[in-house]
Amino acid sequence: WSWGYWACALLVLRAVIASLWAGEPAERQKRSWPERMDRDDYIKFLIAIPIVLYAASWLDQWLGANILFRIALIGFIYPLIDLSIRRAHDIGWSGQWAWLLALPLFVAALANWTLFLVAVFFAIALIASLAIMKGNANANAYGEAAHVLEKKDVVGPMVDFFRRKGA
């Protein structure tokens, strides 16, 4: 366990030192977050999930711990739901479809194996359809298309994070 704690502390320490050194930004920027997500970015996120989970599992085995995989797994729940909502908006669907992704979590509490497998099937079918279907090229009820937003300098969370000035 001590190796696992040290590994996590080293990862967090960089962020703490950077925020203390950089301080508050001199000017606050109003950030606008896109309501839609491009299909390619969604697929890249889906590909990153098993890679990160495998790395966390391998690191757990190497350190003799069993916490990193669980942290990574739980850490992917919110981004998966959030990005699936944005992807559904790009297709023109309501974000309410993302509730199907949480269905296996609720059904697991019932301890019914058959219902759990059905819920997992619906969640996988939703993720696959979001990854396969093309988004609307024009504006829809949820905003402008992703390529239009890039020209207007409205960016997603990762690009905005690395572009910002200050903390």
Side-chain angles (χ1 to χ4, degrees):
W1 277 98
S2 62
W3 286 104
Y5 290 127
W6 280 108
C8 289
L10 290 175
L11 293 173
V12 172
L13 186 62
R14 278 186 50 214
V16 171
I17 290 173
S19 66
L20 290 175
W21 178 71
E24 285 292 318
E27 59 188 52
R28 294 257 178 215
Q29 296 178 353
K30 170 116 173 70
R31 292 181 171 89
S32 55
W33 299 94
E35 291 292 322
R36 297 172 60 175
M37 181 178 203
D38 193 22
R39 177 173 57 172
D40 296 338
D41 294 334
Y42 188 70
I43 290 173
K44 289 175 193 173
F45 173 74
L46 292 178
I47 290 171
I49 292 174
I51 294 170
V52 170
L53 291 179
Y54 178 77
S57 174
W58 179 82
L59 197 56
D60 268 346
Q61 289 177 353
W62 185 66
L63 296 173
N66 63 355
I67 190 85
L68 296 176
F69 179 80
R70 293 175 185 172
I71 290 172
L73 186 63
I74 292 170
F76 272 118
I77 293 173
Y78 176 76
L80 179 64
I81 292 173
D82 178 53
L83 297 178
S84 295
I85 290 171
R86 292 172 195 261
R87 183 70 193 121
H89 286 173
D90 191 45
I91 295 171
W93 294 357
S94 169
Q96 300 295 329
W97 283 99
W99 283 108
L100 282 177
L101 299 177
L103 193 61
L105 299 174
F106 298 125
V107 173
L110 299 175
N112 186 330
W113 185 249
T114 306
L115 284 177
F116 177 73
L117 290 178
V118 170
V120 167
F121 171 77
F122 281 121
I124 290 173
L126 175 66
I127 290 171
S129 63
L130 290 174
I132 292 171
M133 293 181 70
K134 280 188 167 185
N136 294 339
N138 301 321
N140 63 14
Y142 302 103
E144 296 286 337
H147 66 278
V148 174
L149 293 176
E150 288 174 5
K151 291 177 184 173
K152 290 183 177 180
D153 204 29
V154 176
V155 296
M158 291 302 288
V159 176
D160 190 49
F161 175 79
F162 288 112
R163 264 206 225 158
R164 67 184 178 166
K165 298 174 185 164

mmCIF file of all heavy atoms in Angstrom, residues 1 60-61 64-71:
data_model
loop_
_atom_site.group_PDB
_atom_site.id
_atom_site.type_symbol
_atom_site.label_atom_id
_atom_site.label_comp_id
_atom_site.label_asym_id
_atom_site.label_seq_id
_atom_site.Cartn_x
_atom_site.Cartn_y
_atom_site.Cartn_z
ATOM 1 N N TRP A 1 0.808 -1.196 0.000
ATOM 2 C CA TRP A 1 0.000 0.000 0.000
ATOM 3 C C TRP A 1 0.848 1.256 0.000
ATOM 4 O O TRP A 1 0.471 2.262 -0.595
ATOM 5 C CB TRP A 1 -0.926 -0.003 1.207
ATOM 6 C CG TRP A 1 -2.146 -0.810 0.946
ATOM 7 C CD1 TRP A 1 -2.359 -2.093 1.315
ATOM 8 C CD2 TRP A 1 -3.303 -0.404 0.247
ATOM 9 N NE1 TRP A 1 -3.582 -2.508 0.896
ATOM 10 C CE2 TRP A 1 -4.195 -1.469 0.234
ATOM 11 C CE3 TRP A 1 -3.682 0.767 -0.377
ATOM 12 C CZ2 TRP A 1 -5.429 -1.400 -0.366
ATOM 13 C CZ3 TRP A 1 -4.917 0.830 -0.960
ATOM 14 C CH2 TRP A 1 -5.765 -0.245 -0.952
ATOM 15 N N ASP A 60 -1.571 -1.511 -10.472
ATOM 16 C CA ASP A 60 -2.049 -2.126 -9.230
ATOM 17 C C ASP A 60 -1.317 -3.433 -8.947
ATOM 18 O O ASP A 60 -0.895 -3.694 -7.816
ATOM 19 C CB ASP A 60 -3.551 -2.413 -9.313
ATOM 20 C CG ASP A 60 -4.393 -1.275 -8.787
ATOM 21 O OD1 ASP A 60 -3.831 -0.387 -8.116
ATOM 22 O OD2 ASP A 60 -5.609 -1.271 -9.056
ATOM 23 N N GLN A 61 -1.166 -4.265 -9.974
ATOM 24 C CA GLN A 61 -0.467 -5.537 -9.783
ATOM 25 C C GLN A 61 0.994 -5.304 -9.442
ATOM 26 O O GLN A 61 1.557 -5.997 -8.598
ATOM 27 C CB GLN A 61 -0.584 -6.405 -11.034
ATOM 28 C CG GLN A 61 -1.965 -6.947 -11.248
ATOM 29 C CD GLN A 61 -2.077 -7.750 -12.529
ATOM 30 O OE1 GLN A 61 -1.145 -7.805 -13.324
ATOM 31 N NE2 GLN A 61 -3.230 -8.366 -12.744
ATOM 32 N N GLY A 64 1.159 -3.977 -5.915
ATOM 33 C CA GLY A 64 0.530 -4.831 -4.918
ATOM 34 C C GLY A 64 -0.673 -4.152 -4.268
ATOM 35 O O GLY A 64 -1.014 -4.438 -3.134
ATOM 36 N N ALA A 65 -1.291 -3.255 -4.993
ATOM 37 C CA ALA A 65 -2.459 -2.536 -4.489
ATOM 38 C C ALA A 65 -3.679 -2.942 -5.307
ATOM 39 O O ALA A 65 -3.570 -3.681 -6.276
ATOM 40 C CB ALA A 65 -2.230 -1.028 -4.594
ATOM 41 N N ASN A 66 -4.832 -2.452 -4.901
ATOM 42 C CA ASN A 66 -6.029 -2.733 -5.682
ATOM 43 C C ASN A 66 -6.941 -1.510 -5.751
ATOM 44 O O ASN A 66 -8.138 -1.643 -5.905
ATOM 45 C CB ASN A 66 -6.785 -3.935 -5.117
ATOM 46 C CG ASN A 66 -7.276 -3.678 -3.713
ATOM 47 O OD1 ASN A 66 -6.994 -2.655 -3.117
ATOM 48 N ND2 ASN A 66 -8.016 -4.633 -3.184
ATOM 49 N N ILE A 67 -6.372 -0.315 -5.673
ATOM 50 C CA ILE A 67 -7.184 0.889 -5.627
ATOM 51 C C ILE A 67 -7.150 1.693 -6.927
ATOM 52 O O ILE A 67 -8.122 2.350 -7.276
ATOM 53 C CB ILE A 67 -6.752 1.765 -4.433
ATOM 54 C CG1 ILE A 67 -7.737 2.911 -4.196
ATOM 55 C CG2 ILE A 67 -5.381 2.350 -4.647
ATOM 56 C CD1 ILE A 67 -8.880 2.535 -3.371
ATOM 57 N N LEU A 68 -6.059 1.658 -7.671
ATOM 58 C CA LEU A 68 -5.917 2.519 -8.844
ATOM 59 C C LEU A 68 -6.917 2.174 -9.943
ATOM 60 O O LEU A 68 -7.471 3.060 -10.586
ATOM 61 C CB LEU A 68 -4.486 2.451 -9.381
ATOM 62 C CG LEU A 68 -3.419 2.991 -8.437
ATOM 63 C CD1 LEU A 68 -2.035 2.789 -9.036
ATOM 64 C CD2 LEU A 68 -3.657 4.443 -8.127
ATOM 65 N N PHE A 69 -7.156 0.892 -10.162
ATOM 66 C CA PHE A 69 -8.132 0.480 -11.167
ATOM 67 C C PHE A 69 -9.518 0.984 -10.801
ATOM 68 O O PHE A 69 -10.255 1.493 -11.642
ATOM 69 C CB PHE A 69 -8.145 -1.045 -11.317
ATOM 70 C CG PHE A 69 -9.160 -1.532 -12.317
ATOM 71 C CD1 PHE A 69 -8.882 -1.483 -13.671
ATOM 72 C CD2 PHE A 69 -10.387 -2.013 -11.903
ATOM 73 C CE1 PHE A 69 -9.819 -1.923 -14.598
ATOM 74 C CE2 PHE A 69 -11.314 -2.456 -12.822
ATOM 75 C CZ PHE A 69 -11.033 -2.405 -14.168
ATOM 76 N N ARG A 70 -9.869 0.872 -9.520
ATOM 77 C CA ARG A 70 -11.183 1.337 -9.073
ATOM 78 C C ARG A 70 -11.323 2.841 -9.213
ATOM 79 O O ARG A 70 -12.370 3.342 -9.608
ATOM 80 C CB ARG A 70 -11.418 0.914 -7.631
ATOM 81 C CG ARG A 70 -11.541 -0.578 -7.480
ATOM 82 C CD ARG A 70 -11.662 -0.976 -6.050
ATOM 83 N NE ARG A 70 -11.653 -2.426 -5.935
ATOM 84 C CZ ARG A 70 -11.591 -3.070 -4.809
ATOM 85 N NH1 ARG A 70 -11.533 -2.408 -3.678
ATOM 86 N NH2 ARG A 70 -11.590 -4.387 -4.795
ATOM 87 N N ILE A 71 -10.264 3.570 -8.878
ATOM 88 C CA ILE A 71 -10.292 5.031 -9.027
ATOM 89 C C ILE A 71 -10.474 5.395 -10.494
ATOM 90 O O ILE A 71 -11.267 6.278 -10.834
ATOM 91 C CB ILE A 71 -9.005 5.660 -8.448
ATOM 92 C CG1 ILE A 71 -8.998 5.538 -6.927
ATOM 93 C CG2 ILE A 71 -8.873 7.115 -8.865
ATOM 94 C CD1 ILE A 71 -7.693 5.962 -6.294
#
